[in-house]
Amino acid sequence: MSKAWLSPSFLLYCMYKNEHIFGVSLLMRAIIHVDMNAFFASCHQAENPAWRGKALLVAGDPKKRHGIILTASYEARQFGVKTAMPVWLAKKLCPHGIFIQPDHSLYLAYSKRILAILRSYTPLVEPFSIDEAWLDVTGSQRLFGSAEEIGRQLQQRILTDLKIPCSVGIAANKFLAKMASERQKPHGFTIIRPHDIPTVLWPLPVEEMVGVGRKIAPALNEMGVETIGQLAKMPTPLLVSRFGVMGEILHQLANGNDDSPVDPQALDTAKSIGHSTTLPRDISDPEDIARVLLSLSERVGRRLRQGGYSGRTITLTVKDQNFITTTRSHTLQEATCLTETIYQTAQNIYRRHFEPWRKVRLLGVAISNLQVREEGQQLTLWDQSTERLTSLTEAADKIKDRFGDYALQRASLCSKREDKSDSPVT
Amino acid sequence: MRLSIPKQLLSDHLQVVAKAIPVRSVNPVLEGVLLEGDGEKITLTATNLELGIQTYFTAPHRETGKVVLPGKIVEIIRHLPGDTVELEINPENFATLISSPPAEFQIYGLSAEDYPLFPEQQPELAQCSFKIKAADLRRALRQTLFAVSHDEGKPAFVGVFFSLAHETLTLAASDTFRLATTSCTVQSNSTADFLVPGKNLQEVLRVITDEEAIIEAAVIQNQLFLYCRNTCISSRLIDENYPQINRVIPKSFIGTAVLDTAAFTQAVERASLLAEGSNHVLRFSLNHEAMVIRAASKYGKIQEVVPLELTGEGVEIAFNARFILDMLKIVEGEQCLIEITGPNQPFILKDSLADNYLYLVLPVRIS
C-alpha cells in the first residue's frame, strides 16, 4: 500500500489547515478551558437533590453584613438575580427563592474532585480559581481521542459523577479557550478554531474580553474601540503608548495570539498569602481586634506552612466605619512562618498606626516577600521561645492535617467560632 | 570671627567629627558641624544624638565666636587648593566666607544657639572610669563587634556588653546565634557593667586609629566618654538588661580539635560559595582523620577535607558559614581551636594567639 498521503507536502497542508491525522493536531496546541456553571449553587444542588431545579441563592449573612448574592442558580437567574446583588433586592425579584449561606469547605471538596477528573486526562492542569481550570491535552489526544472528544468526555463525567454542570471551551491557546467557554452557559460546548476568530471573537464587545477590566474598557471605548475586532486592528504603538506593556498583550490577545503555557504550579507560586474579614459589627475594643487578628494570622500562618513558605513582610488592612481603607506593613529581619510572629507584628502595626478610638469594619492580614522555607533551623542562645514555638506549631499542624483544621483550636478563639450551618436564611 | 588655619589641620579634625554627622535628621542643625572658638582653641563638634564626637586644636588667633556649618564643609575643606584656609564668619547671619585662593566659598551657616549641648562631662559624677591602651581596645572591638545583632527588635543585642571588674575589662557581643567574648587588662579601680551600641563602637574603631595612644574612659550619666588625645567621643548607653553570659558557655566538651587557621578559613570560604539560603548551611563532619566540610545547593555540591588533630570525640554538625567565617577573619594565631560539645550543641572556637578570646556559635539543626 502506498504511503503517498504521508508526503511532506501533505503534512504541511495539514498543519496549515490544522487538520487532524489520527485525531492529533500537528502544529497547534489543544487547550481546554472548563468553567463550572453557578458553581456554589451547583454544589449545594448536587448535595441536596431537593434543591435541584429550584431557584437557589447562595448569599452572605445580612446580619453579618455580608449581604450580597455570591451565586444564584440558573433557575434564579431567570428572575434577574445577578451575582453581587444585595440580598434585599434579590428577595424582591425572586421571593420564592431558597437563600442559603456559603459553605466553602463543600466547594473545596467538589473542586478537588473535579480536578481529579481533569487530571485523569493530563497532568497539565492549571486551576485558575476554585471553579475554573485549563488543560493542555495536546499530548493526550493519542490516548483519549481528539480534544473535542476529551472535552465531551470530561463534561459528561463531571455531570454524571458529581452532578455539576460545566461549560467547555476548546481552542489553540488559553485565551481563546477561556473566551470559548464563556460563549455558552450553562452546559456549553464551544470550539474556536483559528478561522473562527473573525466571525466569533471579533464581533464581541471589548468588555467581554478576558483581561479587559472596568478600567481598560472605558479607556478603549474612548479611543473608539467597541469590539475586539477593532482592538485587533488598532496599531500596537498606539495601544502601548496608552496602556504600556498591557497594550501589547491586549493587541496580541485580540488577534487570538497567546503563547502562555498551561502551568500546573501557577496557583502554587504565590506572591502573598492573606485573609480578611468583614466584622459582624464595627469594633474598637483592643481585645476584640486582637482576637480577630489572631484568627486571621492563624489562617494565614497555616496556609503559609502548608505551602512550605515563610515570609518577611506583614501587611495589615483596616477599613473603618467610614469605609476608609488603610494598609500598613512591616518587614521583619528574618522570615517567619509562625502564627505568633505574624500576629504580634500585625498587632504592633495596629497599635502604631491606628487610633484606638477608630471603629473598625474590616480587618485583613497578609504576608508577602515569600520564600521557600528552609531546611534546618538556626538554634539560639537564651531565648528558646522560637524553637519551642516551631516544635509546637509543627505538632499542632500534624494534628490538623490528620483530624481537620477544627480539631485543635486556640482557647481564645473558641467562643467566637463562626456558625457553619447551611440553614436557610429567613 | 576671622580665622586663618592650616588646611590639613582643619581637614583632619573635620574628618574625625564627620563620623557622627547624621545623613538625614529632622533637625537640620544636626546635619552640620559646630565650630567654636573660645580665644584659645577651636573646637569642632558633631552629633547624631546617639554618638557625639568633639575634637579641638589650638587656635592661631585669639578670636571667639561660634557657628554651625553644613556637613558639606568636610568635603569643601578637603578639596580646597591652598595650604591655608581663611574663614570669616558673619555673627549676624552666620554667612561664612571660606577662601583658599583661587577658590572662594560663601556658605550659609546656622546659629549655634540651636545646636544641642555636648553631653556634660562631670568627672565627679562618673560611675566608673578606666584607662586602656588603644591597641587593646581596638583588638577587643574587632574580636566582638561582628557578632552584634542588627535587629532593632532585640534592643539589648545591638550593643556590646562591657563588664569592668577592677583591672579587667570584659567585652561580649551576641546576636543570640553566636557569642563573642574577650577581656583585656585596664587601669581602674571601679566595677561596672554597661551596654554600648555596636554602631557607635564601629565609629570608635574608625576614629581611634592610633594604636599607641592611651584612652581614658568614663561612664557618666548614661553616656560612655572616651578621651583620646584631643578627641572626645560620647556614646549613649543602651538601657537594657544583658543576659548572663557565663550561663550559656559550656564548661565540658566531648572533644577538642586543632586546625590550621589558613587551611580552615580557605576551605570554609570555598564551601560557603554553595551554602544555600539565609542559613548558609555548611555540614561539618569531624573525626580523627580530618574535618570534612560539605555544602549543597541547586547549583551543585562541594566536599572539602581539612586536616586536624582531634582529641576525644568527633561530631556531625551543621553551621551557618557566615558565622564561622566572621570569626576566622579575626583570628591572629596560626592555629584555631574547636571545642566540641555534642551534636546540635554549640562549637567553641578559639584563637591560639588570644588566650582570653572565646567564640561560641550555635549550630543549625538539620532534620
Side-chain angles (χ1 to χ4, degrees):
Chain A
M1 219 174 113
S2 158
K3 287 192 177 173
W5 56 271
L6 257 180
S7 69
S9 57
F10 176 75
L11 290 178
L12 268 175
Y13 169 82
C14 291
M15 282 160 80
Y16 175 68
K17 283 293 215 178
N18 193 32
E19 288 294 331
H20 292 64
I21 300 177
F22 305 128
V24 176
S25 161
L26 283 178
L27 181 64
M28 298 200 302
R29 294 183 296 160
I31 310 292
I32 299 179
H33 182 255
V34 186
D35 190 359
M36 302 307 130
N37 305 129
F39 183 58
F40 291 0
S42 298
C43 289
H44 289 287
Q45 287 176 322
E47 278 294 283
N48 186 346
W51 285 341
R52 287 184 202 159
K54 300 226 171 94
L56 187 68
L57 298 105
V58 182
D61 184 353
K63 283 182 205 139
K64 287 185 179 169
R65 301 188 299 174
H66 302 197
I68 58 159
I69 300 296
L70 297 172
T71 310
S73 70
Y74 278 87
E75 294 81 2
R77 289 187 197 190
Q78 288 172 357
F79 298 94
V81 179
K82 290 197 171 87
T83 300
M85 183 178 272
V87 170
W88 61 267
L89 184 59
K91 279 192 176 161
K92 215 165 125 186
L93 291 170
C94 184
H96 59 284
I98 306 164
F99 288 77
I100 58 166
Q101 283 183 31
D103 178 356
H104 289 277
S105 53
L106 177 74
Y107 313 144
L108 210 59
Y110 270 92
S111 180
K112 275 186 185 165
R113 291 165 70 182
I114 292 163
L115 283 178
I117 294 179
L118 301 183
R119 288 194 179 115
S120 66
Y121 290 95
T122 171
L124 295 175
V125 176
E126 177 181 335
F128 184 53
S129 67
I130 196 162
D131 61 349
E132 278 179 65
W134 280 288
L135 293 83
D136 185 337
V137 294
T138 315
S140 312
Q141 299 180 85
R142 301 173 66 116
L143 293 167
F144 300 105
S146 71
E148 185 175 347
E149 281 160 23
I150 295 176
R152 295 269 181 216
Q153 278 180 42
L154 55 87
Q155 189 178 35
Q156 197 54 44
R157 270 184 65 190
I158 293 171
L159 189 65
T160 41
D161 294 5
L162 306 175
K163 308 279 182 286
I164 303 278
C166 67
S167 288
V168 171
I170 303 178
N173 60 48
K174 282 163 71 178
F175 167 71
L176 288 175
K178 184 160 163 63
M179 290 303 294
S181 73
E182 305 272 325
R183 294 282 60 74
Q184 199 188 349
K185 282 177 176 179
H187 209 73
F189 194 94
T190 312
I191 302 177
I192 297 183
R193 295 199 170 82
H195 58 257
D196 296 331
I197 292 172
T199 51
V200 177
L201 186 67
W202 286 357
L204 297 172
V206 279
E207 289 83 355
E208 289 197 22
M209 194 173 134
V210 178
V212 173
R214 272 177 300 173
K215 288 216 172 118
I216 292 181
L220 281 172
N221 293 343
E222 227 171 74
M223 293 168 88
V225 176
E226 302 286 342
T227 66
I228 299 181
Q230 286 168 332
L231 178 61
K233 292 191 181 76
M234 284 287 276
T236 320
L238 200 64
L239 291 168
V240 172
S241 70
R242 180 69 180 78
F243 303 105
V245 193
M246 199 58 204
E248 165 92 52
I249 295 170
L250 286 176
H251 188 255
Q252 287 291 332
L253 292 182
N255 281 293
N257 299 325
D258 173 21
D259 55 9
S260 61
V262 172
D263 176 9
Q265 266 92 45
L267 263 194
D268 303 346
T269 46
K271 290 200 177 79
S272 76
I273 291 176
H275 278 284
S276 66
T277 184
T278 299
L279 303 158
R281 58 182 176 84
D282 293 340
I283 57 171
S284 59
D285 181 7
E287 263 187 51
D288 290 339
I289 287 173
R291 221 177 350 251
V292 176
L293 290 181
L294 178 59
S295 141
L296 290 169
S297 303
E298 172 82 324
R299 280 153 73 187
V300 170
R302 173 98 171 112
R303 261 179 68 199
L304 192 65
R305 294 189 297 272
Q306 277 175 334
Y309 293 109
S310 58
R312 278 184 58 204
T313 306
I314 317 272
T315 305
L316 179 71
T317 305
V318 175
K319 192 196 274 181
D320 69 9
Q321 68 212 47
N322 302 321
F323 286 80
I324 293 166
T325 306
T326 319
T327 57
R328 289 286 177 273
S329 45
H330 178 78
T331 300
L332 301 165
Q333 198 78 17
E334 287 154 45
T336 187
C337 64
L338 295 175
T339 299
E340 276 74 10
T341 315
I342 299 170
Y343 165 63
Q344 290 300 345
T345 314
Q347 269 269 55
N348 290 341
I349 299 174
Y350 190 83
R351 287 206 205 102
R352 198 169 332 134
H353 294 288
F354 299 96
E355 300 85 349
W357 44 262
R358 253 222 264 186
K359 284 201 176 250
V360 174
R361 183 183 166 86
L362 172 144
L363 281 171
V365 174
I367 187 161
S368 54
N369 226 331
L370 302 185
Q371 55 197 66
V372 175
R373 203 156 78 236
E374 281 178 47
E375 179 202 19
Q377 188 194 357
Q378 172 66 53
L379 303 179
T380 54
L381 284 165
W382 295 295
D383 178 24
Q384 267 97 32
S385 58
T386 314
E387 272 158 60
R388 289 224 298 274
L389 262 180
T390 307
S391 325
L392 180 66
T393 307
E394 276 169 14
D397 279 347
K398 270 185 198 153
I399 294 173
K400 289 179 181 176
D401 287 343
R402 196 157 157 205
F403 301 105
D405 274 2
Y406 287 97
L408 196 65
Q409 287 256 52
R410 279 161 205 276
S412 59
L413 296 179
C414 277
S415 55
K416 293 279 167 178
R417 192 170 150 181
E418 280 171 52
D419 189 14
K420 284 249 148 195
S421 70
D422 272 346
S423 57
V425 183
T426 45
Chain B
M1 179 160 73
R2 284 182 74 120
L3 295 166
S4 172
I5 309 166
K7 175 198 142 188
Q8 202 54 45
L9 180 72
L10 182 58
S11 183
D12 287 350
H13 282 80
L14 279 170
Q15 298 285 346
V16 167
V17 295
K19 312 280 194 298
I21 305 174
V23 184
R24 216 163 279 120
S25 170
V26 277
N27 187 356
V29 80
L30 285 184
E31 292 170 27
V33 175
L34 172 67
L35 185 143
E36 290 171 286
D38 65 358
E40 285 170 10
K41 57 186 195 292
I42 304 288
T43 308
L44 300 174
T45 309
T47 177
N48 57 21
L49 300 179
E50 287 274 311
L51 172 75
I53 304 177
Q54 194 164 59
T55 180
Y56 67 87
F57 53 91
T58 318
H61 318 282
R62 300 202 144 274
E63 292 266 348
T64 59
K66 46 181 155 177
V67 66
V68 175
L69 296 170
K72 278 232 180 291
I73 190 74
V74 181
E75 286 305 298
I76 289 173
I77 301 295
R78 202 166 73 86
H79 282 92
L80 287 180
D83 290 337
T84 30
V85 187
E86 304 281 342
L87 282 142
E88 193 181 334
I89 300 151
N90 181 342
E92 299 295 311
N93 59 8
F94 307 102
T96 304
L97 198 68
I98 300 169
S99 54
S100 174
E104 191 177 279
F105 282 86
Q106 173 108 48
I107 296 298
Y108 312 123
L110 294 167
S111 164
E113 294 305 311
D114 305 328
Y115 202 82
L117 291 174
F118 199 74
E120 263 189 275
Q121 304 154 54
Q122 293 168 287
E124 65 276 10
L125 288 177
Q127 284 137 275
C128 76
S129 59
F130 56 92
K131 282 185 189 174
I132 183 170
K133 285 183 204 146
D136 288 349
L137 181 67
R138 283 177 54 82
R139 187 164 184 243
L141 288 177
R142 275 199 310 271
Q143 285 175 329
T144 50
L145 257 179
F146 66 84
V148 296
S149 173
H150 300 284
D151 182 356
E152 295 294 334
K154 301 174 182 167
F157 295 106
V158 297
V160 174
F161 181 67
F162 283 65
S163 178
L164 181 67
H166 305 294
E167 302 277 278
T168 308
L169 175 69
T170 305
L171 268 66
S174 172
D175 58 3
T176 72
F177 307 126
R178 64 266 180 75
L179 165 74
T181 174
T182 188
S183 59
C184 43
T185 313
V186 296
Q187 263 185 53
S188 163
N189 47 20
S190 36
T191 303
D193 291 343
F194 50 94
L195 199 50
V196 189
K199 251 191 276 176
N200 295 353
L201 292 169
Q202 206 77 58
E203 299 307 334
V204 168
L205 264 184
R206 292 197 185 114
V207 170
I208 300 176
T209 47
D210 180 0
E211 300 256 326
E212 302 301 314
I214 299 285
I215 298 165
E216 288 183 48
V219 172
I220 308 167
Q221 287 180 330
N222 201 36
Q223 292 278 340
L224 167 70
F225 291 94
L226 297 171
Y227 304 90
C228 178
R229 301 194 199 277
N230 295 347
T231 304
C232 171
I233 303 170
S234 88
S235 165
R236 182 190 62 91
L237 297 182
I238 300 172
D239 188 16
E240 291 281 340
N241 289 325
Y242 208 76
Q244 289 281 320
I245 303 157
N246 292 330
R247 238 187 49 207
V248 292
I249 298 173
K251 300 287 178 287
S252 60
F253 316 104
I254 62 163
T256 312
V258 181
L259 292 99
D260 179 73
T261 309
F264 188 21
T265 311
Q266 287 159 17
V268 173
E269 272 174 348
R270 276 190 291 270
S272 70
L273 296 173
L274 288 184
E276 272 258 278
S278 62
N279 278 341
H280 305 280
V281 177
L282 287 190
R283 286 160 196 260
F284 295 82
S285 162
L286 282 78
N287 58 41
H288 286 274
E289 282 87 59
M291 167 194 269
V292 182
I293 306 174
R294 291 188 186 88
S297 78
K298 63 178 174 188
Y299 304 110
K301 42 191 176 177
I302 174 174
Q303 171 170 327
E304 176 126 351
V305 181
V306 187
L308 56 61
E309 270 171 58
L310 177 71
T311 43
E313 277 179 58
V315 75
E316 297 278 332
I317 201 160
F319 286 100
N320 183 327
R322 301 243 169 126
F323 294 172
I324 303 283
L325 269 182
D326 280 345
M327 185 272 178
L328 289 175
K329 277 182 199 152
I330 57 100
V331 173
E332 293 166 354
E334 280 180 15
Q335 282 173 329
C336 176
L337 196 80
I338 301 177
E339 288 166 345
I340 305 160
T341 57
N344 284 329
Q345 297 292 322
F347 260 13
I348 290 179
L349 275 71
K350 287 182 172 171
D351 176 351
S352 62
L353 262 191
D355 292 341
N356 301 320
Y357 183 60
L358 175 150
Y359 181 64
L360 174 103
V361 55
L362 273 94
V364 174
R365 184 164 55 206
I366 303 275
S367 48

